[in-house]
């Protein structure tokens, strides 16, 4: 049969050939059979999906049996190749045959695997059975599990041999061992796939547990290891009761061991005296068993650590510490080769084997600690100090080598330092001079201890301050103490490469997390520019000081790694990464001496290829190490943490020439990074106050390095872009040190790059930067390229690419400002083309491009007033259309105002004409009656009035006032004139215009009595804005009107006051301190006003005032928050809102922080409205200034949040024919969850995540809106806090199942879509959690996820979610 044929296969012929005497024929036959079965499986799958024709060939049941028999018989074939293809065919066959054949195959292969006489082919049978388990369809899983599980358990029991005296060479024992290993392997796969879904396996959990536990006492190490792996998988699916029994049995056995070292022997002697029976039991427990038990316990904690309880942890940790006693590590007389006289000797173990067993036991214990710290951070917290102390002790556990840890002070002497440097050549040697230590495996213990410390750093990453502050004894019974950070730095001298790299990376991670915590406000990194330490401590901040000894110690330790002649490349790479991280901390690398020293070591790395002596005596410095060294230099230049003069003085003589040479390297990444470093140098020279000679010398060097790369064409894209960026930095900053020819050469190359499709965006950015420099410099002219550059940029405006348009607009805006005087020969036709293109871009469909286009038009008009007619023709019509858009706001509106002002100032259009055009926009159909349009037009008219001559301004404002008729039927015109007068008065002191201020006051107050609400609102805004320009006439009148007002008028007057304060805040150099005594009395008096709208305005006023004058307002708010009056509920509500507005208004956090504990007490108020406002205040603080609440979150805020997030206050309202349920606490629950969600982003260290899990579980079952909030929180936690989420996964199942099974009922339209979105939101949560590491241990959740995935009604929703 031809294998390439599409015709139906002849199974009879193939089956006959499988029995052929020639192995090649059998091989071809089974291969063809495999391919035929694949095609058959594909046809069957297509039929199920209604995609295949009905004529697809099918296999009858008799043929299926014959195929199964043939494939099984070939598993015994004499040819290995045939066996291999038979196993492969078996996997395909299982997807197509009936369940009856699957069970027959399973029984047959299992029987062959368990047959003692089939030892030669047992591996093949085991692979076949594993293939069956992996490929059998899900629906047959329960049947296969039922047929296999009991037989595998019986196979383990039948072939078990736990006698320590059995001979390894015994043939029967070896055969039994192979059977047990095969059974354990298959069981592991079976449990992994069907352990949580198969009822047959669930019934076998206890026998499985007993069978696997029995193998931990096997004399064969590989059997014990496989059994531990199987137990780890089994632990994820067994019940909590069985899990508890498993842990207790493991701990009971481990507890029999006395421990290791002298402390272990001491405990053994005490146990012998006090309890002879226990000592006897201990003698029966071999160290090998102990190691296996500990390793198994570590495996269990790694898979289901979240299911362990506090009691388990409290028992496990002391037992593990028995094997990792710090006293043994600190024992100066300790000898790793000392004979052991306890368990190991009793077990007949040799001295070398006993020493190796000690190492493995300790390694396993520290692996367990690592797992506990990462998986159970809350449970392990009471034992964390003990674990850290033990890890610190064993991190330096190296009994065969002396580091002279106690001679640190002597390193300050130069002579001793020189001696140490001479000895460094031998420090990392692995040659014959250390041949006695070739078999020293104590480094494994040190590595596991370091990994435990790394886990501690990871677990405390949100607040690592304790690792810098808490001290531990350096040695047992020693007065010397050190912190975790200090101990890590001290151990950079570690001689083993793997351990040394882990130590440096651990400290780098700690330093990185510390810098991040400092940025989040969790702690303070002291620096030379900060307040002194006493002031920081008095403020309650946790201070970590890197200035004194830490930075210098880090630099000195890393320099030793970089200078070690026989140090590994990984150590150097880690040291460079640490120095890069240190640059982010205050003070950076340190002083000028330290900077120079680091640069000298970088120079050695960059010159490694040129230094024959270095190549001969050191490890090969790869290109990647050179790249990392350049990255370090770039970070040092750009981080702004060092003194620029120190960097400059060290860089120029030591490193500049070498960096320039790196630009000529071969590897594109090194070239690009070298160019990035060169890009930072010009700015450094300015900051470092370089002399003219230094600038000239550096500019020449940079030009010689950059220009060849800028002019080459056949280069990597990254090199081209970096060369453009470097040239931009060179020309824009050091243009005075370049010759005219050099500048013209670079500019001409920029034009070439601008015409190239691949480099034009980078070239545009380069031109923009050069243009900005040309604005402020007379000796940088762009006349040689101006015409051509603008022409190319104008062409790019017609492209479809938005990013290209944006870059081109920004560049045009920059370049036109650099246009020389009118005597410059400029192509005026070019402006016509450019302005026409700019006018076409002005539209409210893309307000950002619109803003850039208006800004560029404005710049052209400024630079060339002669283009006024062109601007009026091409740009003004589109601008007028934009002015009546309801979408116009922010930068686009500001740019429009600037353009209109410039048109008046340059004479492009007359004021009267433009005013009529703007007023005419009111007649536009779509804009009529829109408050936003009226407000925008009012700003436009006021702007052009302010740009007109002063003589016309008084005439304009008087005519505007006279046009205001509060009782007029033309409401829009009245609104417009009111707002125009207010905007105009905001910039001009109307009190200097005779009678104007008095008339305006009268009109504003009259407008408050208008029957139209829009006129009232416009008058209120106008009064507030006009008060900014003329405080003396307007503000006293406003406050006086407040005294006798009430109701709606009072609300309007407070609106005016709020607008006055907001506008005054935006005025440069504003100082309202003299007016605060006048403003406070009416505000305080109305904090308890019955009208909520009035109180809201009062709160906004107080919040804005607090931003302006915190010292005057915050004490008043504190007093109001603590006053106990009849109106305290209203007053407290107002205070909470005021603080919320102050935080949102960017009040100085330092000023507000001392008052926050008082304001937080509002959470305890009985009134729900006050509670809600207090929650919103906390939300604002967490969002805008998390440092305000981080210190008080756990004590004051979290207990209230937990309570409010679960508060339920439902009541029924009788509406006659039906009753309606109202939940008064719903807004509180929403606000509380919003606080939690924001805390996860802004200040996660302040949360107690495990304690929040029950709250989240309850929220998932709440009403729809709360559920959707909870779903979003779960998504966030999947990425940032997966471990607590895995631990609580089972508690989410009931709520999620109810959500995804939501019934649509009779809903249609948008209501039906809402139900569908609700279901998909729940499915997103399920899918996100299903991907978490360790989720397999959450049995209920995995069962739920499996049910939903198999559910046909959910299939389309799952497909839609997965395709998002």
């Amino acid at each position: 049969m031809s294998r390439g044929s599409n015709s139906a296969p002849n199974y009879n012929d193939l089956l006959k050939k499988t029995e052929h005497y020639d192995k090649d024929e059998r091989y071809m036959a089974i291969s063809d059979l495999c391919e035929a079965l694949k095609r058959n499986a594909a046809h069957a799958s297509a039929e199920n999906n209604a995609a295949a024709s009905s004529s697809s060939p099918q296999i009858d049941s008799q043929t299926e049996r014959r195929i199964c028999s043939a494939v099984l018989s070939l598993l015994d074939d004499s040819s290995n190749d045939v066996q291999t293809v038979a196993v492969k065919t078996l996997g395909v066959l299982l997807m197509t045959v009936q369940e009856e054949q699957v069970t027959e195959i399973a029984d047959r292969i299992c029987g062959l695997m368990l047959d003692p006489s089939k030892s030669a082919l047992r591996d093949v049978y085991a692979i076949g059975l594993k293939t069956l388990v992996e490929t059998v369809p899900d629906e047959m899983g329960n049947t296969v599990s039922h047929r296999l599980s009991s037989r595998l358990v019986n196979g383990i029991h039948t072939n078990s041999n736990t006698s320590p005296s059995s001979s390894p060479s015994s043939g029967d024992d070896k055969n039994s061992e192979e059977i047990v290993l095969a059974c354990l392997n298959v069981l592991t796969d079976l449990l992994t796939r069907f352990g949580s879904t198969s009822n047959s396996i669930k019934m076998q959990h206890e026998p499985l547990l007993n069978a696997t536990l029995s193998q931990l006492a096997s004399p064969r190490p590989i059997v014990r290891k496989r059994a531990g792996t199987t137990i780890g998988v089994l632990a994820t699916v067994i019940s909590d009761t069985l899990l508890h029994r498993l842990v207790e049995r493991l701990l009971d056995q481990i507890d029999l061991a006395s421990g290791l070292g002298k402390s272990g022997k001491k405990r053994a002697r005490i146990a012998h005296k006090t309890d002879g029976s226990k000592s006897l039991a201990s003698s029966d427990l071999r160290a090998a068993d102990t190691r296996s038990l500990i390793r198994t316990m570590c495996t269990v904690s790694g898979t289901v650590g979240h299911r362990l309880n506090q009691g388990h942890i409290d028992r496990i940790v002391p037992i593990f510490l028995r094997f990792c006693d710090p006293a043994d590590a600190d024992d100066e007389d300790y000898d790793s080769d000392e004979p052991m006289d306890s368990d190991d000797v009793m077990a007949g173990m040799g001295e070398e084997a006993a020493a190796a067993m000690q190492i493995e036991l300790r390694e396993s214990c520290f692996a367990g600690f690592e797992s506990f710290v990462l998986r159970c951070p809350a449970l392990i917290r009471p034992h964390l100090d003990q674990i850290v102390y033990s890890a610190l002790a064993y991190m330096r556990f190296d009994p065969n080598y002396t580091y002279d840890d106690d001679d640190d002070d002597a390193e300050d002497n130069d002579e001793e330092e020189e001696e140490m440097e001479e000895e460094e050549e031998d420090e990392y040697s692995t040659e014959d001079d250390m041949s006695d230590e070739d078999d020293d495996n104590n480094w494994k213990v040190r590595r596991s201890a370091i990994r435990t410390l790394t886990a501690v750093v990871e677990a405390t990453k949100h607040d690592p301050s304790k690792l810098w502050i808490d001290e531990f004894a350096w040695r047992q019974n020693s007065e010397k103490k050190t912190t975790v950070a200090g101990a890590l730095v001290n151990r950079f001298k570690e001689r083993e490469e793997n351990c040394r790299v882990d130590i440096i990376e651990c400290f780098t991670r700690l330093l990185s997390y510390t810098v991040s915590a400092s940025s989040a406000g969790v702690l303070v990194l002291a620096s030379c520019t900060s307040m002194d330490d006493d002031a920081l401590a008095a403020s309650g901040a946790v201070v970590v000081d890197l200035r004194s000894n830490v930075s210098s110690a880090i630099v000195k330790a890393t320099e030793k790694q970089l200078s070690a002649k026989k140090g590994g490349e990984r150590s150097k790479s880690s040291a460079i990464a640490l120095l890069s991280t240190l640059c982010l901390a205050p003070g950076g690398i340190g002083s000028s001496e330290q900077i120079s020293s680091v640069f000298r070591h970088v120079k050695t790395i960059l010159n490694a290829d040129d230094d024959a002596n270095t190549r001969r005596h050191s490890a090969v410095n790869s290109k990647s190490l050179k790249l990392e060294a350049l990255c370090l230099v770039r970070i040092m230049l750009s981080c702004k943490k060092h003194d620029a003069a120190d960097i400059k003085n060290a860089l120029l003589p030591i490193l500049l020439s070498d960096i320039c040479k790196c630009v000529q390297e071969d590897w594109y990444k090194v070239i690009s990074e070298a160019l990035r470093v060169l890009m930072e140098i010009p700015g450094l020279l300015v900051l470092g106050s370089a002399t003219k000679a230094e600038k000239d010398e550096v500019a020449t060097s940079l030009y010689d390095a950059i220009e060849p790369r800028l002019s080459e064409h056949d280069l990597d894209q990254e090199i081209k872009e970096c060369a453009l960026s470097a040239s931009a930095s060179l020309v824009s900053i050091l243009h005075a040190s370049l010759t005219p020819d050099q500048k013209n050469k670079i500019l001409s190359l920029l034009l070439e790059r601008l015409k190239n499709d691949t480099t034009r965006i980078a070239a545009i950015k380069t031109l923009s930067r050069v243009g900005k420099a040309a604005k402020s410099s007379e000796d940088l002219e762009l006349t040689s390229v101006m015409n051509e550059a603008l022409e190319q940029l104008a062409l790019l405006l017609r492209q479809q690419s938005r990013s290209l348009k944006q870059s081109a607009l920004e560049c045009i805006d920059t370049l036109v400002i650099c246009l020389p005087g009118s005597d410059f020969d400029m192509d005026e036709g070019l402006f016509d083309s450019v302005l026409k293109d700019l006018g076409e871009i002005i539209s409210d469909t893309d307000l950002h491009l619109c803003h850039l286009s208006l800004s560029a038009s404005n710049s052209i008009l400024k630079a060339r007033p002669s283009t006024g007619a062109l601007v009026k023709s091409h740009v003004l019509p589109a601008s007028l259309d934009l002015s009546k858009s309801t979408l116009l706001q922010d930068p686009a509106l500001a740019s429009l105002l600037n353009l209109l002002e410039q048109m008046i100032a340059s004479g492009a259009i007359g004021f009267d004409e433009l005013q009529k055009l703007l007023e005419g926009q009111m007649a536009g159909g779509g804009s009529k009656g829109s408050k936003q349009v009226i407000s925008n037009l009012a700003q436009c008219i006021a702007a052009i009035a302010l740009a007109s001559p002063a003589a016309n301004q008084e005439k304009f404002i008087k005519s505007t006032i006279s046009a205001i008729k509060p009782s007029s039927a033309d409401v829009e015109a009245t609104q417009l004139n009111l707002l125009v007068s207010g905007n105009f008065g905001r910039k001009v002191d109307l009190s200097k215009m005779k009678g104007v201020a008095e008339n305006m006051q009268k009109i504003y107050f009259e407008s408050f009595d208008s029957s139209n609400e829009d006129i009232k609102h416009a008058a209120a805004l106008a009064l507030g804005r006009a008060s900014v320009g003329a405080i003396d006439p307007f503000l006293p009148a406003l406050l006086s009107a407040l005294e006798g007002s009430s109701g709606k008028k009072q609300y309007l007057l407070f609106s005016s006051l709020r607008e006055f304060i907001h506008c005054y805040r935006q005025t440069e150099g504003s100082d309202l301190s003299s007016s605060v005594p006048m403003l406070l009395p009416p505000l305080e008096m109305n904090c308890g006003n019955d009208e909520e709208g009035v109180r809201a305005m009062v709160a906004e006023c107080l919040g804005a005032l607090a931003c302006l004058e915190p010292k005057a307002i915050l004490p008043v708010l504190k007093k109001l928050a603590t006053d106990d009056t009849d109106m305290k509920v209203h007053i407290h509500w107002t205070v909470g809102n005021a603080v919320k507005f102050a935080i949102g208004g960017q009040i100085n956090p330092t000023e507000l922080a001392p008052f926050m504990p008082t304001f937080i007490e509002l959470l305890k108020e009985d009134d729900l409205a006050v509670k809600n406002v207090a929650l919103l205040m906390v939300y604002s603080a967490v969002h805008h200034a998390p440092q305000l609440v981080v210190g008080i979150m756990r004590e004051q805020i979290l207990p209230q949040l937990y309570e409010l997030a679960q508060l339920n206050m439902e009541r029924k309202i009788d509406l006659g024919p039906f009753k309606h349920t109202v939940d008064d606490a719903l807004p509180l629950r929403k606000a509380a969850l919003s606080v939690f969600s924001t805390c996860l982003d802004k200040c996660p260290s302040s949360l107690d995540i495990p304690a929040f899990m029950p709250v989240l579980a309850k929220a998932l079952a709440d009403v729809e809106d709360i559920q959707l909030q909870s779903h979003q929180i779960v998504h966030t936690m999947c990425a940032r806090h997966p471990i607590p989420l895995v631990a609580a996964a089972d508690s989410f199942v009931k709520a999620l199942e109810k959500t995804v099974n939501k019934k649509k009922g009779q809903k249609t339209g948008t209501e039906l879509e809402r139900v569908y979105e609700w279901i998909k939101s729940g499915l997103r949560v399920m899918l996100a959690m299903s991907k978490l590491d360790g989720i397999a241990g959450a049995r209920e959740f995995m069962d739920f996820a499996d049910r939903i995935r198999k559910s046909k009604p959910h299939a389309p929703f799952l497909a839609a979610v997965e395709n998002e």
Side-chain angles (χ1 to χ4, degrees), residues 847-848 850-851 854 882 887-897:
L847 286 179
H848 184 64
C850 178
H851 148 66
L854 289 167
L882 180 68
L887 303 176
L888 179 62
Q889 57 185 329
D890 300 332
L893 176 59
S895 296
L896 176 62
L897 296 177

Side-chain angles (χ1 to χ4, degrees), residues 371-487:
S371 176
F372 297 146
V373 170
L374 292 175
R375 297 283 180 181
C376 328
L379 301 180
I380 205 70
R381 194 172 296 147
H383 307 280
L384 200 57
D385 286 348
Q386 292 175 285
I387 293 173
V388 170
Y389 182 36
S390 179
L392 289 176
Y394 281 92
M395 177 180 66
R396 59 178 185 274
F397 179 66
D398 198 356
N400 296 324
Y401 191 83
T402 302
Y403 291 92
D404 295 329
D405 286 341
D406 297 328
D407 295 337
D408 295 335
D409 296 336
E411 292 180 1
D412 295 333
N413 299 324
D414 294 339
E415 294 180 0
E416 291 185 6
E417 283 191 8
E418 291 176 3
E419 292 176 2
M420 291 175 65
E421 289 174 1
E422 291 174 1
E423 292 174 358
E424 280 180 353
E425 293 186 9
D426 300 326
E427 185 173 349
Y428 306 113
S429 176
T430 57
E431 305 297 333
D432 294 337
D433 58 343
M434 293 185 66
S435 59
D436 293 339
E437 300 174 15
D438 285 347
D439 296 329
D440 179 10
N441 287 324
N442 287 307
W443 65 271
K444 295 181 179 179
V445 178
R446 299 197 298 277
R447 181 184 62 181
S448 59
I450 295 162
R451 289 177 176 174
T452 299
L453 290 175
T454 303
V456 172
V457 170
E458 190 67 30
T460 58
K461 63 182 179 181
H462 298 302
D463 183 9
S465 57
K466 289 183 178 294
L467 303 182
W468 295 90
I469 297 172
D470 291 356
E471 293 186 332
F472 299 85
W474 181 242
R475 289 189 181 280
Q476 192 80 3
N477 302 321
S478 171
E479 295 182 359
K480 179 182 177 183
K481 292 187 176 182
T482 182
T483 62
V484 173

Side-chain angles (χ1 to χ4, degrees), residues 141-143 145-146 194-203 205:
N142 189 57
T143 303
S145 300
H146 176 70
F194 300 115
S196 61
T197 58
S198 171
N199 292 325
S200 300
I201 289 185
K202 290 179 182 178
M203 297 172 63
H205 279 173

Side-chain angles (χ1 to χ4, degrees), residues 1144-1189:
Q1146 306 300 315
I1147 188 174
N1148 186 350
T1150 307
E1151 298 280 358
L1152 179 57
F1155 298 90
M1156 281 304 293
T1158 301
F1159 299 140
I1160 294 299
E1161 290 297 313
L1162 296 176
L1163 286 170
K1164 299 179 181 179
E1165 290 286 337
D1166 295 331
D1167 187 80
L1168 296 183
V1170 176
K1171 284 180 180 288
N1172 191 46
V1173 166
L1175 283 172
L1176 296 176
M1177 176 187 69
V1178 173
Y1179 173 82
S1180 183
V1182 172
H1183 183 75
H1184 294 289
Q1187 62 269 35
L1188 289 173
V1189 293

Side-chain angles (χ1 to χ4, degrees), residues 691-958:
T691 63
K692 180 69 167 60
E694 287 176 328
K695 290 181 179 179
D696 292 345
E697 182 181 354
V698 171
T700 301
S701 300
L702 296 185
Y703 178 83
D704 292 340
I706 296 170
E707 190 273 334
R709 292 300 185 185
L710 186 63
S711 58
E712 289 182 44
H713 292 280
D714 189 15
L715 289 175
D716 186 85
Q717 179 70 13
E718 187 177 354
I719 298 177
K720 294 178 182 178
E721 293 180 358
C722 289
L724 284 166
S725 299
S727 63
S729 178
L730 174 62
V731 175
S732 60
I733 298 175
L734 296 182
H735 50 82
S737 299
L738 295 173
T739 65
D741 290 341
Q742 290 174 331
K743 287 186 281 189
N744 290 334
K745 175 66 173 176
I746 291 178
L747 292 174
S748 63
L749 290 173
L750 289 182
L751 276 181
E752 287 185 22
R753 297 301 185 200
L754 183 62
K755 298 173 184 177
N756 189 296
D757 290 347
T758 60
T759 58
R760 57 191 180 188
I761 290 184
I764 289 172
K765 293 178 179 178
T766 301
L767 274 175
S768 296
R769 185 170 178 185
V770 173
K772 290 177 183 177
K775 288 182 185 179
S776 55
S777 177
E778 296 181 357
D779 56 355
L780 178 58
E781 293 186 358
L782 304 180
T783 54
S784 60
V785 296
M786 184 64 74
N787 276 325
E788 194 170 355
L790 286 177
E791 184 179 353
Q792 289 296 323
L793 292 170
L795 292 175
L796 297 178
L797 294 179
R798 301 167 192 170
Q799 299 288 332
Q800 293 297 319
S801 171
R802 185 181 184 278
S803 60
L804 189 59
K805 280 184 179 180
Q806 180 177 329
S807 299
L809 286 168
E810 291 170 348
C811 190
I812 290 173
D813 193 6
T814 303
L815 289 182
V816 293
I817 299 298
C818 307
L819 287 173
S822 56
D823 55 340
F824 173 63
D825 184 16
M826 189 74 189
D827 184 2
E828 296 298 331
L830 180 60
F831 284 127
D832 183 61
S833 173
V834 170
L835 288 170
K836 185 176 181 180
D837 291 330
L838 292 175
E840 293 176 355
I841 295 174
I842 297 173
S843 168
D844 60 1
T845 56
D846 191 329
L847 286 179
H848 184 64
L849 289 183
C850 178
H851 148 66
L852 295 175
S853 182
L854 289 167
S855 180
S857 303
N858 185 30
S859 298
I860 292 174
L861 189 56
K862 277 184 181 178
R864 279 289 192 273
S866 59
T867 59
L870 296 175
V871 172
K872 181 179 178 181
S873 172
H874 298 313
V875 178
L876 183 58
S879 301
L880 292 173
D881 287 339
L882 180 68
S883 67
K884 62 184 179 183
S885 170
T886 56
L887 303 176
L888 179 62
Q889 57 185 329
D890 300 332
L893 176 59
S895 296
L896 176 62
L897 296 177
N898 292 335
L899 176 62
L900 295 177
E901 288 177 5
Q902 187 60 38
M903 291 185 72
I904 296 296
S906 63
I909 190 172
F911 169 74
D912 293 335
E913 182 183 357
L914 186 53
Q915 181 185 8
K916 289 180 180 179
L917 289 173
L918 288 169
E919 290 174 347
Q921 302 306 309
M922 290 288 295
S927 65
K928 190 172 181 61
S930 170
K931 292 183 181 179
Q932 183 66 38
V933 173
I934 295 172
S935 175
N936 290 342
L937 289 173
Q939 291 187 62
C940 292
I941 295 172
I944 63 173
L946 291 168
S948 63
N952 294 336
Q953 291 182 3
E954 184 172 352
K955 177 184 176 182
F956 163 77
I957 192 60
K958 288 182 177 179

Side-chain angles (χ1 to χ4, degrees), residues 1031-1051:
I1031 292 180
D1032 293 339
F1034 282 99
L1035 187 57
L1038 194 159
L1039 296 176
S1040 176
L1042 270 172
E1043 292 179 4
S1045 63
S1046 61
K1048 183 64 177 178
K1049 187 172 183 180
Q1050 188 179 40
Y1051 173 82

Side-chain angles (χ1 to χ4, degrees), residues 172-192:
D172 291 341
D173 287 348
K174 185 176 181 181
N175 199 24
S176 297
E177 178 186 333
E178 290 176 354
I179 293 175
V180 171
L181 287 174
C183 290
L184 289 172
N185 272 337
V186 176
L187 265 180
T188 302
D189 289 352
L190 192 65
L191 290 168
T192 300

Side-chain angles (χ1 to χ4, degrees), residues 38 165 205 298 308 316 483 588 613 750 790 927 974 1005 1114 1357:
K38 282 183 182 179
S165 60
H205 279 173
C298 296
L308 300 178
I316 291 170
T483 62
N613 185 60
L750 289 182
L790 286 177
S927 65
T974 304
F1005 289 129
L1114 290 176
F1357 295 109

